[in-house]
Amino acid sequence: MTAIAMAGWLAQAGLRNMSLEELVDGFGRRLNEAGLRIERMFVGMNTLHPMVRARSLIWTSGEGVARHFEFAHADIDSAQIQQSPFAAMLRDGIAELRQPLDAADVLPGIPVFDELRGEGMTEWMGWVQPFGELTPQVGSSSEADHAERLWLAVSAATDRPGGFSDEDLALLREVMPVFALAVKATSMRGIGHGLLAAYLGNDPASRVLSGTVLRGEVQSVEAVVFFTDLRGFTALADTMPGRDLIVLLDDYFSCMVQPVTAHGGEVLKFMGDGMLAAFAVIGGERAGGCAEALAAAQEVLARVEALNVERRKAGQPATSLDISLHIGRVLYGNVGSDTRLDFTVIGPAVNEASRIEALCQPLDQALLISQAFAEVATASRDRLVCLGRHRLRGVREDTELFGLSVSNGVSRDQRP
């Protein structure tokens, strides 16, 4: 295969949003068909994700894409990253590095070169391709990447005696920028989805990328509404330094988010010190949705109790969390102005969940469950305790509210 033909295939692969795995596998196989005898390729790139700093994969001629790696922001200081040849290339602004592996002058302190030499590789070639206008760099674990400082790191290793020929290198140098462009085309959608999911939620992100972008484009769905609020947060905000307050919020939000997503819920927004989440009722399985939401609520409260123990031991302020669970029909989709939209749920069920949560403190309950939820949650009825009928602000008729019995793991006294 000629360089022109390979570049044409790469361009089409990028335009079709071919998956990264297919793209790398197709590229590696075509390079070998052109006679380059590449045994292993590494492909890695940084991201703009709040949890993931970089992702990479390894392709081999025998197995194809064999291994995937994912690195958190804290991993940037790890030996695995700092001892990579790409770390030095990024630090020193080196776009291409050629390293014979069968010579005596192999760069010391780089474990991957020893590994490749042990596998019989004779030469390694590495490239750093920028994905933006700014100079690529590694940065620190506390320094977020910039949208114009994204990069692609690629290496190819051969076991051919004497390493790559001049013709091999000429072909690689000719097609590598086109490969980088194809990777950028197919990976930017994933980067965009990761960013949208971090700010909107996974399902809203998928819907927005699929074209649900018009104002007023909503659908009526049945869902369990999961509403939370930290008790006494305003008083804490008046007394705590700003940075400490943000750390506190992050700690408690972590307690809330992980169980909700683990049980199939979607976190839609944070509202100051509160959170709105929803569990979609799929295929009419209302009882199943309620069971998942209730299990998530119990796990959230257990995590909050454990966090409060840790914070008190450390001499840090602690607080408690109130949760309400309700089920009903909501409007799910885009709401806002013509220039600023929010993907959320609205409707009477959301308002009622908020009103129910406001009664947690007066009723000395960490968890309040609506009558509608209790009627559907048949598998949990023996664990629910009736708390009488109550008036919800803005709702005409009184409604019955329920709590979870103390024997089922929810303490009514969660004061810090």
Side-chain angles (χ1 to χ4, degrees):
M1 177 173 278
T2 65
I4 294 176
M6 196 173 302
W9 179 82
L10 287 169
Q12 287 299 316
L15 288 171
R16 297 199 312 270
N17 285 330
M18 180 181 288
S19 73
L20 180 62
E21 288 77 10
E22 289 179 295
L23 178 61
V24 172
D25 185 56
F27 183 51
R29 287 188 291 102
R30 283 166 173 79
L31 287 173
N32 281 343
E33 288 169 6
L36 269 69
R37 195 164 154 178
I38 291 175
E39 291 301 313
R40 183 163 117 166
M41 280 200 307
F42 169 92
V43 177
M45 66 198 77
N46 58 344
T47 76
L48 293 176
H49 197 278
M51 300 300 294
V52 180
R53 185 60 171 268
R55 293 186 173 94
S56 62
L57 57 82
I58 290 177
W59 174 92
T60 65
S61 61
E63 299 180 58
V65 177
R67 285 181 280 172
H68 289 79
F69 304 90
E70 193 169 272
F71 301 94
H73 287 271
D75 295 332
I76 203 70
D77 297 324
S78 67
Q80 186 176 6
I81 296 293
Q82 293 301 319
Q83 294 175 356
S84 163
F86 292 113
M89 292 175 69
L90 288 164
R91 279 195 300 267
D92 299 334
I94 299 173
E96 178 181 300
L97 180 65
R98 184 179 185 183
Q99 177 60 62
L101 300 174
D102 55 357
D105 59 345
V106 177
L107 289 174
I110 300 182
V112 70
F113 289 162
D114 295 331
E115 177 188 343
L116 291 172
R117 187 159 52 179
E119 294 176 0
M121 301 298 114
T122 57
E123 188 168 17
W124 178 95
M125 283 290 300
W127 294 266
V128 172
Q129 296 281 347
F131 276 179
E133 298 175 357
L134 302 180
T135 302
Q137 63 183 37
V138 176
S140 68
S141 57
S142 60
E143 180 184 1
D145 287 318
H146 191 289
E148 292 299 323
R149 192 169 271 140
L150 297 178
W151 45 259
L152 173 71
V154 184
S155 70
T158 183
D159 63 355
R160 172 176 287 164
F164 292 111
S165 67
D166 292 341
E167 292 77 11
D168 293 343
L169 294 179
L171 177 61
L172 285 170
R173 287 167 177 155
E174 191 170 353
V175 299
M176 196 57 66
V178 188
F179 173 70
L181 193 60
V183 171
K184 181 179 181 180
T186 194
S187 63
M188 290 308 290
R189 177 181 174 89
I191 291 175
H193 184 277
L195 275 175
L196 281 175
Y199 285 91
L200 299 178
N202 189 62
D203 184 68
S206 298
R207 291 174 184 265
V208 169
L209 286 174
S210 296
T212 308
V213 297
L214 299 178
R215 180 171 62 156
E217 190 171 358
V218 298
Q219 62 180 131
S220 176
V221 298
E222 190 170 27
V224 175
V225 181
F226 190 109
F227 202 96
T228 76
D229 191 59
L230 286 175
R231 192 178 295 186
F233 181 77
T234 302
L236 285 173
D238 290 338
T239 59
M240 293 181 66
R243 180 59 188 168
D244 292 346
L245 189 67
I246 295 300
V247 172
L248 178 144
L249 267 179
D250 288 345
D251 285 347
Y252 284 99
F253 280 141
S254 292
C255 293
M256 302 178 213
V257 171
Q258 294 172 6
V260 167
T261 56
H263 285 276
E266 192 74 56
V267 175
L268 298 173
K269 64 169 62 178
F270 300 110
M271 302 162 294
D273 58 315
M275 184 185 79
L276 173 63
F279 291 74
V281 173
I282 301 174
E285 288 293 329
R286 305 174 76 210
C290 288
E292 293 293 343
L294 184 57
Q298 289 182 269
E299 187 175 338
V300 167
L301 292 172
R303 289 187 178 213
V304 167
E305 285 193 8
L307 175 62
N308 283 340
V309 171
E310 293 178 5
R311 291 187 65 87
R312 291 189 203 104
K313 285 182 178 178
Q316 298 172 328
T319 187
S320 55
L321 182 70
D322 295 332
I323 301 177
S324 66
L325 297 176
H326 185 39
I327 187 170
R329 297 207 71 81
V330 297
L331 293 175
Y332 181 52
N334 290 307
V335 179
S337 73
D338 54 351
T339 58
R340 177 63 173 87
L341 295 173
D342 189 14
F343 205 105
T344 187
V345 291
I346 62 171
V350 180
N351 297 335
E352 290 170 19
S354 174
R355 304 293 188 262
I356 293 170
E357 182 278 321
L359 292 177
C360 284
Q361 186 167 359
L363 296 177
D364 195 23
Q365 297 289 319
L367 173 63
L368 282 180
I369 295 166
S370 72
Q371 179 177 337
F373 187 102
E375 290 173 351
V376 174
T378 53
S380 305
R381 285 303 299 270
D382 59 336
R383 302 155 59 198
L384 304 184
V385 177
C386 179
L387 303 174
R389 300 188 67 83
H390 298 271
R391 173 63 56 90
L392 304 181
R393 182 167 61 87
V395 179
R396 180 176 301 177
E397 297 182 0
D398 292 352
T399 185
E400 210 169 8
L401 296 179
F402 295 80
L404 203 60
S405 65
V406 177
S407 61
N408 280 286
V410 176
S411 170
R412 295 189 182 188
D413 185 6
Q414 292 202 330
R415 290 185 295 267

